[in-house]
Amino acid sequence: MTKYWLNNFAIDDFIISALKEDMYFGDITTDAICADLDEKQFSIFLKTRQDGVLCGRSVFERVFKLLCDDKVKIDFFFEDGDEIKAGDKIATIVGDAHYILTGERLALNFVQKMSGIATYTRKFQNLISKYNVRIVDTRKNTPNFRLFEKYSVKVGGNYLHRFNLSDCVMLKDNHIALYGGSITRAVSEIRKHLSHAHKIEIECDTLAQVKEAVENNVDIIMLDNMTCEQMKEACEYINKRAIVEASGCVTFDNVENIAKTGVDVISTSAIVMKAPTLDLAFDYNS
């Protein structure tokens, strides 16, 4: 799988904004406790208290780079995407105690959240690994954190839906309602204004809508909140004339049954929005 890199020019503004939020007026605890220290060098470990998948290494490092340039040195023992076990030392952090203590919480916030998503999304992927089906994310995400969340989905082994509203056309029920519920009219209007480079996806709740979408030669048909029996019937009718996406109420318990229906893609917000953070911490003890 092609690696999906986070570029510094893309993430720095987000990290700087988070640093401002956390310490716009300084860190009064650390500023005071370190003020008269003769020896400000400090060494500490990043450890995991849970099994999981590491994600966010470069963001963790970038927090300290932006905070203090080269006054803190970080050595990671794992790469993004590696499985980690409870008790593992993930990295050593050595340098100026003032900056280590000030940046600790923010760096952890990033890597815990991102590792949690990567861990959760890999569990979904493992459940359907024997099927030729992709698990993808959605646009239900944390505002201004989308770049990090989508990266985490990729690290976990899943795939991405559209990144933003300009990636492809997705006609949902409320768009179609503007044209009296007519998919044909809505698609016809869209095509008057659409670039040749963009695909058209239609959200369908019924088999009748699926048939109308096929008649209009759309590229992707989303089966929204259908039962597995309805999905199977829809896939048989579509018969590879469009990419078939299943969406709605996807869980660990039903994802394999959905994969068996013949769909090509399963989209779910759960891999981001329901992912718990992974329990990582700074630990002074070796």
Side-chain angles (χ1 to χ4, degrees):
M1 180 175 61
T2 302
K3 288 200 173 184
Y4 181 77
W5 296 109
L6 289 175
N7 295 300
N8 290 342
F9 69 81
I11 66 175
D12 281 1
D13 285 347
F14 295 103
I15 296 172
I16 290 169
S17 178
L19 285 167
K20 287 180 179 179
E21 178 186 59
D22 206 30
M23 55 168 296
Y24 210 91
F25 299 102
D27 174 357
I28 61 171
T29 306
T30 303
D31 291 349
I33 205 166
C34 291
D36 298 320
L37 276 181
D38 294 328
E39 177 57 63
K40 292 189 179 181
Q41 284 296 107
F42 194 49
S43 178
I44 201 162
F45 296 100
L46 173 64
K47 287 186 175 182
T48 179
R49 296 169 179 166
Q50 289 180 289
D51 295 353
V53 177
L54 179 66
C55 183
R57 168 179 167 161
S58 63
V59 183
F60 184 94
E61 293 171 323
R62 198 67 186 160
V63 168
F64 289 101
K65 179 68 175 177
L66 291 170
L67 178 63
C68 62
D69 198 16
D70 295 320
K71 294 183 177 66
V72 172
K73 184 176 184 294
I74 302 166
D75 288 316
F76 270 90
F77 309 127
F78 295 87
E79 300 287 344
D80 279 0
D82 286 348
E83 293 189 0
I84 52 179
K85 301 294 183 182
D88 280 348
K89 294 178 187 175
I90 308 304
T92 56
I93 302 96
V94 180
D96 189 314
H98 182 276
Y99 293 112
I100 291 175
L101 295 173
T102 296
E104 172 184 357
R105 183 71 265 158
L106 179 60
L108 280 172
N109 284 346
F110 275 110
V111 76
Q112 285 183 301
K113 180 61 177 175
M114 294 173 71
S115 295
I117 293 170
T119 300
Y120 200 67
T121 196
R122 185 164 295 181
K123 290 179 181 178
F124 269 99
Q125 189 61 44
N126 287 342
L127 288 169
I128 56 106
S129 59
K130 63 183 178 182
Y131 303 98
N132 188 27
V133 182
R134 289 185 172 189
I135 300 277
V136 304
D137 66 342
T138 72
R139 279 179 52 252
K140 291 180 181 177
N141 62 278
T142 309
N144 286 328
F145 205 71
R146 183 177 303 177
L147 180 63
F148 304 100
E149 289 172 338
K150 284 186 172 285
Y151 173 79
S152 304
V153 167
K154 288 288 286 184
V155 167
N158 287 175
Y159 294 83
L160 304 182
H161 208 295
R162 57 182 179 163
F163 198 92
N164 58 39
L165 291 169
S166 63
D167 281 345
C168 77
V169 170
M170 181 183 287
L171 287 169
K172 299 176 75 69
D173 53 357
N174 289 333
H175 297 112
I176 296 166
L178 292 173
Y179 285 84
S182 171
I183 289 174
T184 300
R185 287 179 60 201
V187 170
S188 177
E189 187 63 27
I190 280 286
R191 284 188 168 134
K192 293 178 184 177
H193 307 281
L194 192 63
S195 163
H196 70 283
H198 287 140
K199 292 184 176 181
I200 298 177
E201 177 167 1
I202 304 290
E203 179 186 270
C204 296
D205 302 318
T206 65
L207 189 58
Q209 288 180 321
V210 168
K211 292 178 178 179
E212 188 177 0
V214 170
E215 289 168 2
N216 282 275
N217 298 311
V218 302
D219 302 288
I220 308 163
I221 296 174
M222 178 199 288
L223 310 179
D224 188 46
N225 285 302
M226 289 189 179
T227 66
C228 286
E229 291 74 19
Q230 290 171 323
M231 289 184 218
K232 185 176 180 181
E233 184 179 358
C235 288
E236 289 172 351
Y237 178 81
I238 295 166
N239 193 26
K240 303 300 181 183
R241 287 177 285 180
I243 295 169
V244 184
E245 175 184 336
S247 189
C249 300
V250 179
T251 67
F252 289 139
D253 292 332
N254 67 14
V255 68
E256 184 174 8
N257 287 333
I258 295 172
K260 291 177 180 178
T261 64
V263 299
D264 303 297
V265 174
I266 301 171
S267 61
T268 173
S269 62
I271 58 177
V272 169
M273 301 307 289
K274 293 185 179 180
T277 59
L278 196 67
D279 192 1
L280 307 175
F282 277 25
D283 193 340
Y284 182 76
N285 296 312
S286 59

